[in-house]
Amino acid sequence: MAAIIDDKSPICIPFILKKLKEHQDVNGGPNSAPPFFIGLNGVQGVGKTTLVTLLAKTLKDPPYSLPVAVLSIDDLYLTHADQVALAQSNPLNPLVQHRGEPGTHDLDLASTLFTALKAEQPALIPRYDKSQFDGQGDRMDRHKWIAVNQDGQQKIKIVICEGWCVGFRALTDDEVKAKWEESKQLHQADANSSTRTTLWSLRLEDLLFVNCKLKGYDVMTNLFDAMVHLDAEDTSYVYKWRLQQEAELRQQTGRGMTDEQVIKFVDGYYPAYELFSDKLRQGVVNTKGCQLRLVVSKNRQVQDVFVI
């Protein structure tokens, strides 16, 4: 696979630094300002990890030298036992038979964590191990969580929350139904269409279940002071990117999903992209001008930049 050129950090990091300074200026300076929350959304394989790593390093290093907490939405997944219980209580809903979609995260844990970080109170940032239970995953033991804001530690001043569904907001039931019906019409009109759509293959009640669960994610989204959205010209690029990643993994380690497994895996996430991406593109941060949207091409290079 060709090397990925990082053309996102030179755009995103100055934007975040500008918004951080504005946040500090209106709150009495770096020492007095409350923690600055950053949301970072990107489809799988678009380059989130590189951006988050460089952004965190920039904020931690001089001249900013700020204590930074980085967490992934993946670290907030339900425990394995709770995920199994969710699947068993909704046996006909394929969207919650495994981790991934909204509804498979622990929102009580998220609320407790984000409330503590906002108040600069002691907190433990969870960690999740996707390899447990033959790849089904489970939360790591608490002694492996990251302790922050403890006695003797600097208070966390920057919180970066990244993930594929970070910033998604729920729709009305009518909006969900309209997207579902549009997907059915598109599929019936041309089953071989190049436009990827999966909503038609699901029951409306399954989609409404996930949408209802997403409302609880506002305990995180409402705290974001800035948002970065790494979008794609065509969301279906996620299939190609994941196939490339797994092919590279198989070549390097001899392990990894087959192409069929990759497609099935991405199918489990794709309905949420179809449902909630449009609303994210319109802006989810309460303050105007605090959301940055980068639109990338199939080769992951930035094509357009929007401030929302």
Side-chain angles (χ1 to χ4, degrees):
M1 185 172 65
I4 300 173
I5 299 173
D6 178 27
D7 60 349
K8 302 170 189 65
S9 297
I11 301 170
C12 296
I13 292 178
F15 172 81
I16 291 297
L17 294 177
K18 177 183 177 183
K19 295 304 165 185
L20 172 62
K21 186 177 186 304
E22 292 173 0
H23 172 80
Q24 293 172 337
D25 288 347
V26 299
N27 286 284
N31 295 325
S32 302
F36 185 73
F37 283 75
I38 303 166
L40 198 154
N41 177 292
V43 298
Q44 296 153 316
V46 75
K48 292 190 300 295
T49 301
T50 299
L51 175 58
V52 169
T53 300
L54 290 174
L55 176 58
K57 185 178 187 303
T58 299
L59 294 168
K60 289 177 180 178
D61 289 349
Y64 305 101
S65 303
L66 294 167
V68 179
V70 178
L71 62 126
S72 169
I73 193 76
D74 292 356
D75 287 320
L76 296 172
Y77 279 133
L78 295 168
T79 64
H80 179 259
D82 286 342
Q83 176 59 52
V84 169
L86 174 67
Q88 291 178 344
S89 61
N90 297 274
L92 299 181
N93 188 342
L95 297 176
V96 295
Q97 296 307 302
H98 48 77
R99 67 175 192 267
E101 288 279 348
T104 64
H105 299 88
D106 188 335
L107 295 184
D108 289 336
L109 177 62
S111 179
T112 298
L113 174 60
F114 273 67
T115 299
L117 290 172
K118 182 69 174 179
E120 299 184 346
Q121 296 298 312
L124 291 173
I125 298 176
R127 288 292 181 257
Y128 191 88
D129 182 356
K130 295 180 181 179
S131 69
Q132 293 192 41
F133 291 95
D134 297 323
Q136 295 179 38
D138 199 3
R139 193 175 298 160
M140 291 184 180
D141 293 337
R142 289 178 68 90
H143 73 273
K144 295 183 179 180
W145 295 13
I146 308 300
V148 297
N149 293 340
Q150 308 293 319
D151 290 342
Q153 292 181 329
Q154 287 184 291
K155 301 296 186 183
I156 294 296
K157 287 296 183 180
I158 306 288
V159 178
I160 304 174
C161 179
E162 63 87 13
W164 75 279
C165 64
V166 167
F168 282 173
R169 289 198 189 271
L171 308 176
T172 66
D173 287 356
D174 286 344
E175 288 172 325
V176 173
K177 184 177 181 181
K179 285 181 176 291
W180 177 68
E181 290 177 339
E182 180 184 359
S183 176
K184 289 173 64 177
Q185 292 170 1
L186 180 63
H187 177 72
Q188 291 170 357
D190 184 2
N192 296 315
S193 171
S194 60
T195 301
R196 184 80 184 188
T197 181
T198 59
L199 300 181
W200 65 270
S201 64
L202 298 160
R203 301 182 307 163
L204 177 59
E205 52 262 47
D206 296 336
L207 300 174
L208 291 174
F209 179 90
V210 169
N211 185 66
C212 182
K213 292 294 185 181
L214 186 57
K215 296 174 183 177
Y217 288 59
D218 285 349
V219 299
M220 296 178 281
T221 308
N222 287 342
L223 290 182
F224 292 148
D225 299 293
M227 182 83 199
V228 174
H229 179 201
L230 304 181
D231 200 2
E233 289 179 319
D234 185 335
T235 307
S236 68
Y237 292 164
V238 66
Y239 286 92
K240 176 185 177 182
W241 295 339
R242 284 294 304 176
L243 287 166
Q244 289 176 335
Q245 287 178 328
E246 289 299 319
E248 188 175 71
L249 180 64
R250 291 195 302 269
Q251 183 177 17
Q252 292 176 349
T253 68
R255 297 181 291 105
M257 291 185 284
T258 65
D259 287 355
E260 286 186 358
Q261 289 172 327
V262 170
I263 292 172
K264 184 177 180 180
F265 174 80
V266 178
D267 280 346
Y269 293 80
Y270 204 78
Y273 290 134
E274 289 190 75
L275 286 176
F276 309 117
S277 293
D278 285 344
K279 194 164 189 175
L280 177 59
R281 291 172 182 132
Q282 296 167 12
V284 296
V285 181
N286 295 325
T287 305
K288 187 177 180 180
C290 289
Q291 181 164 320
L292 184 69
R293 177 177 172 236
L294 274 60
V295 183
V296 305
S297 63
K298 186 179 290 188
N299 64 0
R300 300 182 179 88
Q301 299 301 294
V302 176
Q303 301 300 304
D304 290 296
V305 179
F306 303 93
V307 176
I308 303 166

